[in-house]
Amino acid sequence: MAILPTEPEFEQAYNELATTLENSTLFQKHPEYRTALKVSAIPERVIQFRVVWEDDAGNLQVNRGYRVQFNSALGPYKGGLRLHPSVNLSILKFLGFEQIFKNALTGLSMGGGKGGADFDPKGKSDGEIRRFCTSFMRELGKHIGADTDVPAGDIGVGGREIGYLFGAYRKDRNKFEGVLTGKGLSWGGSLIRPEATGYGLVYYVDLMLQHMGKGGFAGKRVAISGSGNVAQYAALKCIELGATVVSLSDSTGALVLDGAEDSFTPEDISAIMSLKEKRKAITEFSGNGKHRYIAGARPWVYVGKVDIALPCATENEVSKEEAEVLVRNGCYVVAEGSNMGCTQEAIDLFEAERQTKGSSAIWYAPGKAANCGGVAVSGLEMAQNSQRLRWTREVVDERLKDIMKDAFEAGLKSAAEYVETKEGELPSLVAGSNIAGFIKVAEAMHDQGDWW
Ligand code: NDP
């Protein structure tokens, strides 16, 4: 049994993939792939360890640390580290499982993994973060390496944490190697890595809009949730392309603009970035007086008529009821910057709309495809580290655009081949992307004798 009874998030991610494979013609054409699914649902390895560190008052603190090394058939394990009190094995298995197929969609040589700890970085001093990261890496460092497993950031892990983690690895192992991505520019980082997930999401949605015959982002109203790394750069790119960004949020609540012409500006985003760097809540955003703050809320039911919704905060942040409101308000694209941003019920609703409303339906893009730009540029960072070279912004950005296009087209192609689609219906990006990623991994595993 691949799913343990205490793993609801992993169960949700596994069922989402398995159901789309079952509902396509994939298993009719290739019944042997059922075995591949069964094998790939169990991680190659799970590492669990304790992290003991000292707080500023000199007290001992202890947390649970993890690394799920899920699948290495396509390359070294690759996936972020999450530091958040909610972290547990179910969440990391869901994220690691998604990561396998997402990484496959980038076309780069990367396996899938995920890790982190139930440590809450909020309210901690720099010294506490450094001592935690050093202790965390003391154990994690035994299990990773530039050709073995290359973690990156995720929720709660930004440039500061990557720096402390990299420094701890370098000193412990006496090795300066590309063991982490998201590094500082002067010590092996790639240009465009901080921007990559948000920018890549917008490039992906741009391709959806073109496919739908709706032009580009200019003049579109976009609702975004979150105000961290992914949300910030998605918002900046939308604004750059001429869209109106009408919402942002964080774990305390949502900021919403009501005026038809009002948009967050690049200056607003940079003010929010500096608040978030200081780990402050968006309530402290003074803005230009046009926004309202809704405590404890997500933005979707407050944004009114929008063309595009981009969940960019965390998992399960669009419920069925919120999805219904988005549809009623004329939203026609939902694309996940966050991992598993929509609940299964919301996805079912979007997919049902797609099947019944033809070309005027709402079109849903799963995070696995739409947010693969972050890990793609991490892959490009690994390539630059191996060459001991740094590519220009333009080169990395162009490659990111190409990778997003390839991921989008891979989803369309597999949907055309394996998913029944009626005349005039938009193809299922969730089924197509799942199938495209799965086949690539299953084939590599088969070639390497992981299943037969
Ligand atoms: P950050 O930590 O930079 O930002 C996370 C944002 O989400 C913050 O605004 C945070 O609010 C909010 N948030 C976190 N947990 C909750 C919650 N339980 N309820 C409501 N809001 C919440 O993370 P990222 O921007 O890097 O990641 C966002 C999402 O994108 C995650 O799902 C991540 O897995 C995914 N992702 C990230 C990639 C990357 O390259 N960074 C790549 C691919 C996917 P607050 O500030 O109050 O904590």
Side-chain angles (χ1 to χ4, degrees):
M1 179 72 181
I3 300 164
L4 302 173
T6 51
E7 297 181 334
E9 292 85 3
F10 176 57
E11 187 172 350
Q12 183 182 342
Y14 173 85
N15 286 340
E16 189 247 272
L17 183 104
T19 310
T20 54
L21 302 187
E22 283 292 348
N23 292 343
S24 73
T25 56
L26 182 72
F27 290 148
Q28 285 157 34
K29 293 180 182 166
H30 298 283
E32 70 280 11
Y33 280 160
R34 283 184 197 281
T35 313
L37 177 63
K38 194 167 136 189
V39 174
S40 65
I42 298 177
E44 288 173 17
R45 192 172 303 102
V46 175
I47 300 143
Q48 295 192 53
F49 51 97
R50 70 168 177 242
V51 187
V52 182
W53 56 281
E54 191 176 304
D55 67 18
D56 285 345
N59 298 317
L60 178 149
Q61 300 286 343
V62 61
N63 288 96
R64 292 176 177 81
Y66 308 88
R67 185 73 182 163
V68 179
Q69 297 185 329
F70 224 124
N71 196 305
S72 58
L74 292 180
Y77 307 104
K78 182 91 198 88
L81 296 172
R82 180 175 288 193
L83 296 182
H84 195 272
S86 64
V87 164
N88 58 38
L89 205 47
S90 169
I91 289 189
L92 295 179
K93 279 183 68 179
F94 123 60
L95 288 164
F97 189 65
E98 291 268 303
Q99 195 81 48
I100 304 169
F101 308 105
K102 178 191 308 197
N103 293 2
L105 284 171
T106 67
L108 301 174
S109 177
M110 297 182 290
K114 201 83 189 185
D118 61 353
F119 167 81
D120 188 357
K122 279 194 191 137
K124 303 288 191 300
S125 69
D126 274 359
E128 289 175 324
I129 299 281
R130 181 168 36 75
R131 289 192 292 278
F132 173 84
C133 287
T134 304
S135 178
F136 182 81
M137 187 51 94
R138 189 172 302 132
E139 183 57 34
L140 182 70
K142 297 172 188 163
H143 309 282
I144 62 175
D147 295 318
T148 312
D149 183 352
V150 184
D154 190 71
I155 291 178
V157 177
R160 174 181 65 164
E161 291 75 18
I162 292 288
Y164 291 148
L165 291 162
F166 186 79
Y169 181 87
R170 196 192 90 235
K171 286 170 261 188
D172 267 5
R173 310 259 130 203
N174 194 20
K175 263 189 190 165
F176 189 106
E177 60 171 18
V179 69
L180 291 161
T181 57
K183 299 187 289 300
L185 281 182
S186 61
W187 41 278
S190 174
L191 288 158
I192 306 278
R193 177 60 189 92
E195 296 89 336
T197 310
Y199 278 18
L201 171 68
V202 175
Y203 296 153
Y204 190 96
V205 172
D206 203 41
L207 294 163
M208 294 171 76
L209 293 172
Q210 284 171 33
H211 189 94
M212 296 169 101
K214 291 192 185 285
F217 266 86
K220 306 286 193 295
R221 280 175 72 80
V222 186
I224 298 180
S225 66
S227 51
N229 172 268
V230 180
Q232 292 163 6
Y233 287 104
L236 284 173
K237 187 52 89 176
C238 288
I239 299 165
E240 184 190 320
L241 297 180
T244 303
V245 173
V246 301
S247 68
L248 291 165
S249 68
D250 71 4
S251 56
T252 69
L255 295 178
V256 175
L257 293 171
D258 293 317
E261 303 298 317
D262 291 342
S263 174
F264 285 98
T265 62
E267 294 71 34
D268 293 338
I269 306 297
S270 100
I272 287 172
M273 276 178 174
S274 32
L275 281 178
K276 287 296 160 191
E277 259 166 40
K278 295 179 202 123
R279 280 148 188 88
K280 294 192 172 160
I282 47 165
T283 29
E284 299 203 27
F285 172 67
S286 50
N288 49 20
K290 289 182 179 164
H291 64 272
R292 64 190 164 117
Y293 172 73
I294 305 137
R298 299 190 286 233
W300 318 120
V301 301
Y302 299 97
V303 289
K305 189 206 156 307
V306 289
D307 303 292
I308 298 162
L310 305 177
C312 292
T314 190
E315 57 270 11
N316 290 329
E317 48 166 333
V318 182
S319 67
K320 181 177 178 224
E321 293 70 29
E322 288 164 317
E324 281 165 353
V325 174
L326 285 171
V327 168
R328 247 194 334 269
N329 284 340
C331 177
Y332 49 79
V333 168
V334 176
E336 293 173 341
S338 49
N339 287 310
M340 211 159 78
C342 299
T343 59
Q344 189 58 51
E345 295 74 28
I347 299 172
D348 292 344
L349 184 122
F350 297 141
E351 285 292 282
E353 289 275 319
R354 188 186 56 74
Q355 287 169 313
T356 50
K357 295 215 178 134
S359 57
S360 64
I362 191 163
W363 205 12
Y364 162 74
K368 207 178 270 124
N371 74 29
C372 77
V375 74
V377 174
S378 275
L380 301 181
E381 183 173 328
M382 289 164 71
Q384 293 169 77
N385 290 167
S386 302
Q387 293 179 311
R388 301 253 192 275
L389 284 176
R390 197 163 95 203
W391 305 339
T392 62
R393 262 186 99 77
E394 290 71 29
V395 166
V396 180
D397 201 28
E398 272 316 303
R399 293 202 179 187
L400 171 62
K401 282 182 191 157
D402 288 345
I403 290 170
M404 297 316 294
K405 188 160 183 275
D406 289 349
F408 178 67
E409 286 174 356
L412 291 185
K413 184 166 173 280
S414 295
E417 198 170 340
Y418 296 105
V419 186
E420 255 180 56
T421 311
K422 294 193 288 293
E423 184 72 26
E425 197 175 285
L426 289 161
S428 170
L429 285 173
V430 58
S433 306
N434 281 343
I435 295 166
F438 175 78
I439 291 178
K440 191 159 181 214
V441 176
E443 287 292 297
M445 289 171 69
H446 187 263
D447 291 348
Q448 295 171 44
D450 292 8
W451 64 274
W452 52 92

